[in-house]
Amino acid sequence: MSFTWRYVVRPDSSFCRVGNLDGSLDNISDEELARLHPKRDEEEHSAQSCSRCGTDLLLHWHGPLMTGVWMELCPACDAHRAAARAFIRWYRAPDRDPKALPKLFEDWETETMHSHGWSRAPHPEAPPSPPSLLRLAPRGRG
């Protein structure tokens, strides 16, 4: 079983990510995926203030399942962190490249979770292939 994320970047540059279990979404275009995951009304009215300094956040996001971490992207508090700084630049850019989002988001998520004491587990290695079976011909008598 494999698991990856598919990112939906809308024309207003808001985005969501959708779990892609065993490649089930690989054959769905970005446009179709965007239609399947429209922006919810509560997303439009979800302005939040930074819990550290009170500045408006660029982004707030729940951390990975079961961690209880609330991730905040604050231009004032996070600009010193490399991954956050790169994500802030992308987020503020007028011509955002949607293809850059997955790496920027995942780097920021990794950096943020690390600051909360979590680390990302390495991707498991592919299981070794089973040994090839040799067919043995019966030995001749003699």
Coordinates of all heavy atoms in Angstrom, one line a residue, residues 102-137:
P102 N 3.7 21.4 -3.4 CA 3.9 20.2 -2.6 C 5.2 20.2 -1.8 O 5.2 19.9 -0.6 CB 3.8 19.0 -3.6 CG 3.0 19.6 -4.7 CD 3.3 21.1 -4.8
K103 N 6.3 20.5 -2.5 CA 7.6 20.5 -1.8 C 7.6 21.6 -0.7 O 8.1 21.4 0.4 CB 8.7 20.7 -2.8 CG 10.1 20.7 -2.0 CD 11.2 20.4 -2.9 CE 12.6 20.5 -2.2 NZ 12.7 20.2 -0.9
L104 N 7.2 22.8 -1.1 CA 7.2 23.9 -0.1 C 6.3 23.6 1.1 O 6.7 23.8 2.3 CB 6.7 25.2 -0.7 CG 7.6 25.8 -1.8 CD1 6.8 26.9 -2.5 CD2 8.8 26.4 -1.1
F105 N 5.1 23.0 0.9 CA 4.2 22.7 2.0 C 4.9 21.6 2.9 O 4.9 21.7 4.1 CB 2.9 22.2 1.5 CG 1.9 22.0 2.6 CD1 1.1 23.0 3.1 CD2 1.8 20.7 3.3 CE1 0.2 22.8 4.2 CE2 1.0 20.5 4.3 CZ 0.2 21.5 4.8
E106 N 5.4 20.5 2.2 CA 5.9 19.4 3.0 C 7.2 19.8 3.7 O 7.4 19.3 4.9 CB 6.1 18.2 2.1 CG 4.7 17.6 1.7 CD 4.7 16.6 0.7 OE1 5.7 16.0 0.4 OE2 3.6 16.4 0.0
D107 N 8.0 20.6 3.2 CA 9.2 21.1 3.9 C 8.8 21.9 5.1 O 9.3 21.8 6.2 CB 10.1 22.0 3.0 CG 10.8 21.1 1.9 OD1 10.8 19.9 2.0 OD2 11.4 21.7 1.0
W108 N 7.8 22.8 4.9 CA 7.3 23.6 6.0 C 6.6 22.7 7.1 O 6.9 22.9 8.3 CB 6.2 24.7 5.5 CG 5.5 25.4 6.6 CD1 6.0 26.2 7.5 CD2 4.1 25.2 6.9 NE1 5.0 26.7 8.4 CE2 3.8 26.1 8.0 CE3 3.0 24.5 6.3 CZ2 2.5 26.2 8.5 CZ3 1.8 24.7 6.9 CH2 1.5 25.5 7.9
E109 N 5.9 21.8 6.7 CA 5.2 20.8 7.7 C 6.3 20.1 8.4 O 6.2 20.0 9.7 CB 4.4 19.8 6.9 CG 3.7 18.8 7.8 CD 2.8 17.9 7.0 OE1 3.3 17.2 6.1 OE2 1.6 17.7 7.4
T110 N 7.3 19.6 7.8 CA 8.4 18.9 8.4 C 9.2 19.8 9.4 O 9.4 19.4 10.6 CB 9.4 18.3 7.4 OG1 8.7 17.4 6.5 CG2 10.6 17.6 8.0
E111 N 9.5 21.0 9.0 CA 10.2 22.0 9.8 C 9.3 22.3 11.1 O 9.8 22.4 12.2 CB 10.5 23.2 9.0 CG 11.3 24.3 9.7 CD 11.5 25.5 8.8 OE1 10.6 26.2 8.5 OE2 12.7 25.7 8.4
T112 N 8.0 22.6 10.8 CA 7.1 23.0 11.9 C 7.0 21.8 12.9 O 7.0 22.0 14.1 CB 5.8 23.4 11.4 OG1 6.0 24.5 10.5 CG2 4.8 23.8 12.5
M113 N 6.8 20.6 12.4 CA 6.6 19.5 13.3 C 7.9 19.2 14.1 O 7.8 18.9 15.3 CB 6.2 18.2 12.5 CG 4.8 18.4 11.9 SD 3.5 18.8 13.0 CE 3.5 17.4 14.1
H114 N 9.0 19.4 13.4 CA 10.3 19.2 14.1 C 10.4 20.2 15.3 O 10.9 19.9 16.4 CB 11.5 19.4 13.2 CG 12.8 19.2 13.8 ND1 13.2 17.9 14.1 CD2 13.8 20.0 14.2 CE1 14.4 18.0 14.7 NE2 14.8 19.3 14.7
S115 N 9.9 21.5 15.1 CA 10.0 22.5 16.2 C 9.1 22.1 17.3 O 9.2 22.6 18.4 CB 9.7 23.9 15.6 OG 8.3 24.0 15.4
H116 N 8.1 21.2 17.1 CA 7.3 20.7 18.2 C 7.7 19.3 18.7 O 7.0 18.7 19.4 CB 5.8 20.6 17.6 CG 5.1 21.9 17.5 ND1 4.5 22.5 18.5 CD2 5.1 22.7 16.4 CE1 4.0 23.7 18.0 NE2 4.3 23.8 16.7
G117 N 8.9 18.9 18.3 CA 9.5 17.7 18.8 C 9.1 16.4 18.0 O 9.4 15.3 18.4
W118 N 8.6 16.6 16.8 CA 8.2 15.4 16.0 C 9.2 15.3 14.9 O 9.8 16.3 14.4 CB 6.8 15.6 15.4 CG 5.7 15.5 16.4 CD1 5.2 16.6 17.1 CD2 5.0 14.4 16.8 NE1 4.2 16.1 17.9 CE2 4.0 14.8 17.8 CE3 5.0 13.0 16.4 CZ2 3.2 13.9 18.4 CZ3 4.2 12.2 17.0 CH2 3.2 12.6 18.0
S119 N 9.4 14.1 14.4 CA 10.2 14.0 13.1 C 9.5 13.1 12.2 O 8.7 12.2 12.6 CB 11.6 13.4 13.5 OG 11.5 12.1 14.0
R120 N 9.7 13.3 10.9 CA 9.0 12.5 9.9 C 9.7 11.1 9.8 O 10.9 11.0 9.7 CB 9.1 13.2 8.5 CG 8.2 12.6 7.5 CD 8.3 13.4 6.2 NE 7.8 14.8 6.3 CZ 6.5 15.1 6.2 NH1 5.6 14.2 6.0 NH2 6.1 16.4 6.2
A121 N 8.9 10.1 9.8 CA 9.5 8.8 9.6 C 9.9 8.6 8.2 O 9.3 9.1 7.3 CB 8.4 7.7 9.9
P122 N 11.1 7.9 8.0 CA 11.5 7.7 6.7 C 10.6 6.8 5.9 O 9.8 6.0 6.5 CB 12.9 7.0 6.9 CG 12.8 6.4 8.2 CD 11.9 7.3 9.0
H123 N 10.5 7.0 4.6 CA 9.7 6.2 3.7 C 10.2 4.8 3.8 O 11.4 4.5 3.8 CB 9.7 6.7 2.3 CG 9.0 8.0 2.1 ND1 7.6 8.0 2.1 CD2 9.4 9.2 1.9 CE1 7.2 9.3 1.9 NE2 8.3 10.0 1.8
P124 N 9.3 3.8 4.0 CA 9.8 2.4 4.1 C 10.4 2.0 2.7 O 10.0 2.4 1.7 CB 8.5 1.6 4.4 CG 7.4 2.5 4.0 CD 7.9 3.9 4.0
E125 N 11.4 1.2 2.9 CA 12.1 0.7 1.7 C 11.1 -0.4 1.1 O 10.4 -1.0 1.7 CB 13.4 0.0 2.0 CG 14.4 1.0 2.5 CD 15.8 0.3 2.8 OE1 16.0 -0.8 2.2 OE2 16.5 0.9 3.5
A126 N 11.3 -0.5 -0.2 CA 10.5 -1.6 -0.9 C 10.9 -2.9 -0.4 O 12.1 -3.2 -0.2 CB 10.7 -1.5 -2.4
P127 N 9.9 -3.8 -0.2 CA 10.3 -5.1 0.3 C 11.2 -5.8 -0.7 O 11.0 -5.6 -1.9 CB 9.0 -5.8 0.5 CG 8.0 -5.1 -0.3 CD 8.5 -3.7 -0.4
P128 N 12.1 -6.6 -0.2 CA 13.0 -7.3 -1.2 C 12.1 -8.3 -2.1 O 11.1 -8.8 -1.6 CB 13.9 -8.1 -0.3 CG 13.3 -8.2 1.0 CD 12.4 -7.0 1.1
S129 N 12.5 -8.4 -3.3 CA 11.8 -9.3 -4.1 C 12.0 -10.8 -3.7 O 13.0 -11.1 -3.1 CB 12.2 -9.2 -5.6 OG 13.6 -9.4 -5.7
P130 N 11.0 -11.6 -3.8 CA 11.2 -13.0 -3.4 C 12.3 -13.7 -4.2 O 12.5 -13.3 -5.4 CB 9.8 -13.6 -3.7 CG 9.1 -12.7 -4.7 CD 9.7 -11.4 -4.5
P131 N 12.9 -14.6 -3.6 CA 14.0 -15.3 -4.4 C 13.4 -16.0 -5.6 O 12.3 -16.5 -5.5 CB 14.6 -16.3 -3.4 CG 13.5 -16.4 -2.3 CD 12.7 -15.2 -2.3
S132 N 14.2 -16.0 -6.6 CA 13.6 -16.7 -7.8 C 13.7 -18.2 -7.6 O 14.6 -18.7 -6.9 CB 14.5 -16.3 -9.1 OG 15.8 -16.7 -8.8
L133 N 12.7 -18.8 -8.1 CA 12.6 -20.3 -7.9 C 13.3 -20.9 -9.1 O 13.1 -20.6 -10.3 CB 11.2 -20.7 -7.9 CG 10.4 -20.1 -6.7 CD1 8.9 -20.5 -6.9 CD2 10.9 -20.6 -5.4
L134 N 14.2 -21.8 -8.8 CA 14.9 -22.6 -9.8 C 14.1 -23.9 -10.1 O 13.7 -24.5 -9.2 CB 16.3 -22.9 -9.3 CG 17.2 -21.7 -9.0 CD1 18.5 -22.2 -8.5 CD2 17.4 -20.9 -10.3
R135 N 14.0 -24.2 -11.3 CA 13.4 -25.5 -11.6 C 14.6 -26.5 -11.8 O 15.5 -26.2 -12.5 CB 12.6 -25.4 -12.9 CG 11.4 -24.6 -12.8 CD 10.6 -24.7 -14.0 NE 9.4 -23.9 -13.8 CZ 8.3 -24.1 -14.5 NH1 8.2 -25.0 -15.4 NH2 7.3 -23.3 -14.3
L136 N 14.4 -27.5 -11.0 CA 15.5 -28.5 -11.1 C 14.9 -29.7 -11.9 O 13.9 -30.2 -11.7 CB 15.8 -29.0 -9.7 CG 16.4 -27.9 -8.8 CD1 16.6 -28.4 -7.4 CD2 17.7 -27.3 -9.3
A137 N 15.7 -30.0 -12.9 CA 15.4 -31.2 -13.7 C 15.8 -32.4 -12.9 O 16.9 -32.4 -12.2 CB 16.0 -31.1 -15.0

